[in-house]
Amino acid sequence: MSTLFEKAYQRSIDSLITRFAKPAMQGATLEAWLFDDQKSRKAAEHTLQAAGVNATLRSAYKPLVHFFIEEIDCAALAAASIGYPMHEACAPNRFLLETYPLTKLVGDATVEFYATDAPNFTYQVTLTYQDGHEESHQVFAPNRTHSDIDGQTLLSPTGWLNIKHQGQVSAERLETDLEQLFHDTIAAISGYTWGDTEPYFEELNITAQLPIKERALPYAEEVISLTEALHEDIYFSLLEFFQKKSGRPLGDRGLQPGQIVPEITYHASAPSVRVSTRKLNTEDSAGPNQPLSTAQAPLFAAQILQELNTVGGEHYQAQARSGRIVHGRYIEGTDAPIMISGAQHANETSGVVGALRAAQQLITRKNAHFTISPLENPDGYELHRRLCAVNPKHMHHAARYTAMGDDLEYRSAENPGEKAIRTKALALTGAKLHVNLHGYPSHEWTRPLSGYIPRGFGMWTLPKGFFLVVRHQIAWTQQAEKLVDHVTRHLTAIDGLVQQNNAQIALFEKHAGETGFRIINGFPCLITADNAYSVPITLITEYPDETIYGENFIRGHTAQMETVLAAYEALQKYIEQ
């Protein structure tokens, strides 16, 4: 291991106490916006008030949501009317997105949003209580404009101070400990000499500790977590840096820097970070098997292979950077063949179980004909398990791509690596349909220090139900439409699935605006013609499964399984006629 950068930071909350809890500041009024949790902010308020300073410390992250949680008796509310600000440096719905999931936190109260041109990043809030009285509030959401690694202008949440003392009023930005840690880390890595040959490292590890406790919200999988948000912001910011270094456009998925691993945890002490390069992990973790049909958590790699071997047929394989084997099985029959794959993005785990369950049902058919590769990205999958051992409810996008740091689908034919599992499946079958099982975050996804909305992934910031993507060659438009209609009609029979879709879509529209997607038989769908795909039709599932457990996980892999089975039926009925 080689250490590139290491630093500890004084907590911003402690700096405020040092600055204001002294005789010269007695009688002052202080408003501060910080990234600290409520318990820490309240403790600091008491310390400052004991020193004669009237202090109110608020959250700089999702300030409107925290305002309702911490300052409003939501059980007594009848209605809320909220005007959200807009700014030229961000998407029009940026401040609307930050209100999520407020409408699920106020009981039976009705909530309406409208856009305003309010200055200074201020929400205009009118509250109507059940006893008939009204209140008006202005909720400040401190932000700053700044340039990112690519020179683009971003608008990001930041710390802030409003001070009244001895007749003087002042307002100033406060660069918080979280912001310092983030920007110092990116600067240290971007300033390092990496050479000119990809990959630049085996593992680039960023270990950080934050004294900011998570706050579970009383709705679905939602948790206010700055440890998770920092993981996401560091990971994607570094992808953007290395994309720029390589001369690629932002968002290029063929970049191969190596495996970037932010490990962000809670610790009560001062914030700290250590950046180091490490050897690539090549060992798989081990644990108990689960009954496949009722698996309540992602399977260990050993069980995935065991379950795959029960499918029988011909074995074929590819190899990942670590030396791990990507396994596939080919069942030869007289039906029209289908390709089934899972875990291209390894933090999307419900598809692995769904693929195996579907295959074990398909082999009971007399003429079954298919390939299955349920774990295409074993290096990412093991990283996901490693990260989940500490933070099991985080989405962990660092485990999304391979140990090369790329999306395996974008590999070249000259160096296919894990992608060879697909070219071999296509060579074995000549399949006209590939069912590629994916997932996406089951809770809100943000990058708070880089513009809040994840760049390039704006459509995935909030859950919106079980989403289907179809990419088809132009000549296969009619067959693709028939496929989607058949699959979605089949999925409507799954108890509660359409209701879950409806609820998530309604909440998405409330906090983000129109989805812009087709709704087919109750399922959001995106269907596009694309001749770049070697298989005429690719059906991509997107279940909100990052990261779910228990009955939610069972519902997820059941939906994935039923999608495969329905697509197989549609292939026989409509595509190969």
Side-chain angles (χ1 to χ4, degrees):
M1 183 177 76
S2 176
T3 299
L4 279 61
F5 174 70
E6 188 168 13
K7 188 173 180 179
Y9 297 81
Q10 184 180 32
R11 293 188 67 177
S12 296
I13 219 158
D14 293 337
S15 298
L16 282 184
I17 291 171
T18 300
R19 176 177 172 182
F20 290 98
K22 54 188 179 182
M25 297 303 297
Q26 285 188 0
T29 297
L30 170 67
E31 283 185 295
W33 285 260
L34 308 165
F35 290 99
D36 294 277
D37 56 59
Q38 184 181 14
K39 183 177 179 181
S40 298
R41 287 184 279 111
K42 289 299 179 185
E45 283 181 359
H46 293 150
T47 299
L48 289 165
Q49 287 163 0
V53 177
N54 181 22
T56 303
L57 308 187
R58 297 188 170 97
S59 175
Y61 181 59
K62 297 179 73 70
L64 186 78
V65 172
H66 282 92
F67 168 73
F68 274 85
I69 292 172
E70 298 177 6
E71 301 185 43
I72 299 300
D73 180 6
C74 292
L77 276 182
S81 177
I82 300 169
Y84 60 90
M86 301 175 69
H87 193 278
E88 61 184 9
C90 64
N93 68 342
R94 155 59 204 286
F95 286 94
L96 177 61
L97 278 168
E98 287 196 47
T99 70
Y100 178 85
L102 179 61
T103 54
K104 292 297 182 180
L105 307 180
V106 293
D108 295 329
T110 60
V111 181
E112 296 298 330
F113 298 103
Y114 61 94
T116 76
D117 56 0
N120 301 324
F121 312 116
T122 301
Y123 290 93
Q124 309 294 325
V125 180
T126 301
L127 304 177
T128 303
Y129 287 84
Q130 294 169 13
D131 63 7
H133 85 276
E134 289 190 355
E135 294 177 357
S136 294
H137 300 269
Q138 291 190 338
V139 178
F140 181 47
N143 273 256
R144 71 180 185 106
T145 54
H146 61 107
S147 296
D148 69 355
I149 196 73
D150 196 47
Q152 298 188 37
T153 299
L154 299 178
L155 184 72
S156 302
T158 189
W160 196 266
L161 298 178
N162 287 339
I163 306 164
K164 295 180 182 179
H165 185 228
Q166 295 179 346
Q168 300 296 313
V169 178
S170 63
E172 61 188 67
R173 181 197 167 212
L174 171 67
E175 185 181 24
T176 62
D177 46 7
L178 181 69
E179 295 169 88
Q180 293 171 37
L181 185 155
F182 171 74
H183 293 297
D184 286 352
T185 299
I186 302 304
I189 294 170
S190 61
Y192 188 76
T193 303
W194 291 107
D196 299 318
T197 304
E198 297 177 20
Y200 306 112
F201 43 79
E202 293 190 20
E203 178 184 316
L204 176 60
N205 184 274
I206 303 96
T207 298
Q209 295 181 327
L210 301 179
I212 309 172
K213 287 188 175 180
E214 297 183 339
R215 181 172 199 148
L217 298 178
Y219 171 70
E221 304 294 323
E222 297 301 334
V223 177
I224 293 175
S225 173
L226 281 161
T227 50
E228 179 179 43
L230 186 62
H231 171 106
E232 298 296 315
D233 223 341
I234 287 176
Y235 176 67
F236 283 99
S237 294
L238 291 178
L239 282 185
E240 290 162 359
F241 161 68
F242 285 111
Q243 284 160 358
K244 182 179 180 181
K245 172 179 168 54
S246 71
R248 293 178 170 86
L250 293 183
D252 187 286
R253 298 191 184 190
L255 173 76
Q256 294 184 329
Q259 195 164 49
I260 301 170
V261 185
E263 296 189 89
I264 318 298
T265 57
Y266 169 80
H267 195 272
S269 63
S272 64
V273 63
R274 182 177 68 252
V275 178
S276 59
T277 54
R278 301 181 180 181
K279 291 292 185 181
L280 191 67
N281 173 274
T282 58
E283 299 294 326
D284 283 342
S285 53
N289 287 0
Q290 303 176 68
L292 191 63
S293 63
T294 57
Q296 298 190 31
L299 307 177
F300 285 90
Q303 183 180 356
I304 294 170
L305 181 56
Q306 291 169 20
E307 301 287 355
L308 181 62
N309 288 339
T310 67
V311 173
E314 178 184 343
H315 179 261
Y316 62 103
Q317 68 182 51
Q319 185 168 307
R321 182 188 188 191
S322 67
R324 293 184 177 93
I325 300 300
V326 183
H327 298 277
R329 286 281 175 172
Y330 171 46
I331 304 300
E332 186 175 8
T334 56
D335 280 353
I338 188 175
M339 293 166 54
I340 308 165
S341 63
Q344 172 186 327
H345 300 153
N347 62 326
E348 303 164 7
T349 55
S350 65
V352 175
V353 183
L356 290 167
R357 290 180 64 190
Q360 292 183 3
Q361 288 204 33
L362 287 175
I363 59 174
T364 66
R365 296 175 60 112
K366 181 179 179 181
N367 301 312
H369 193 185
F370 64 93
T371 60
I372 174 176
S373 51
L375 181 52
E376 291 190 320
N377 180 4
D379 291 349
Y381 194 82
E382 182 55 36
L383 175 58
H384 184 251
R385 180 159 298 282
R386 167 181 155 192
L387 294 171
C388 284
V390 179
N391 292 312
K393 299 290 284 185
H394 293 185
M395 56 192 79
H396 296 308
H397 277 118
R400 173 181 173 88
Y401 295 153
T402 73
M404 295 294 288
D406 63 346
D407 190 326
L408 68 90
E409 186 171 291
Y410 294 78
R411 288 280 176 84
S412 67
E414 293 76 20
N415 297 290
E418 294 92 334
K419 190 178 180 179
I421 203 73
R422 293 188 184 177
T423 56
K424 291 180 180 180
L426 184 58
L428 286 166
T429 62
K432 302 298 190 294
L433 175 62
H434 175 200
V435 181
N436 187 4
L437 304 178
H438 283 250
Y440 71 102
S442 63
H443 55 280
E444 186 184 20
W445 176 12
T446 72
R447 288 179 60 185
L449 303 179
S450 301
Y452 192 83
I453 300 173
R455 192 204 315 260
F457 297 94
M459 66 181 290
W460 303 107
T461 57
L462 304 180
K464 53 185 176 294
F466 187 25
F467 190 96
L468 301 179
V469 178
V470 177
R471 294 171 182 157
H472 61 85
Q473 296 175 4
I474 294 173
W476 291 74
T477 300
Q478 185 176 6
Q479 296 95 322
E481 292 285 346
K482 288 181 177 180
L483 170 74
V484 173
D485 181 68
H486 180 87
V487 169
T488 53
R489 287 183 186 278
H490 178 87
L491 293 174
T492 60
I494 299 178
D495 186 38
L497 185 55
V498 171
Q499 291 82 351
Q500 174 181 295
N501 283 356
N502 291 341
Q504 290 191 353
I505 291 168
L507 195 60
F508 181 98
E509 291 177 339
K510 194 75 172 178
H511 289 278
E514 293 294 326
T515 64
F517 310 123
R518 290 174 60 185
I519 304 297
I520 302 175
N521 300 318
F523 291 82
C525 299
L526 181 62
I527 305 174
T528 57
D530 189 345
N531 278 340
Y533 281 71
S534 55
V535 179
I537 302 178
T538 299
L539 172 60
I540 300 170
T541 63
E542 297 285 359
Y543 193 89
D545 66 353
E546 303 171 9
T547 303
I548 55 176
Y549 299 93
E551 291 298 322
N552 288 339
F553 189 67
I554 295 173
R555 284 193 290 270
H557 59 71
T558 297
Q560 301 274 24
M561 172 192 69
E562 293 292 348
T563 301
V564 175
L565 297 176
Y568 189 91
E569 289 288 347
L571 176 66
Q572 314 309 316
K573 290 184 177 181
Y574 305 120
I575 298 178
E576 284 290 332
Q577 289 183 344

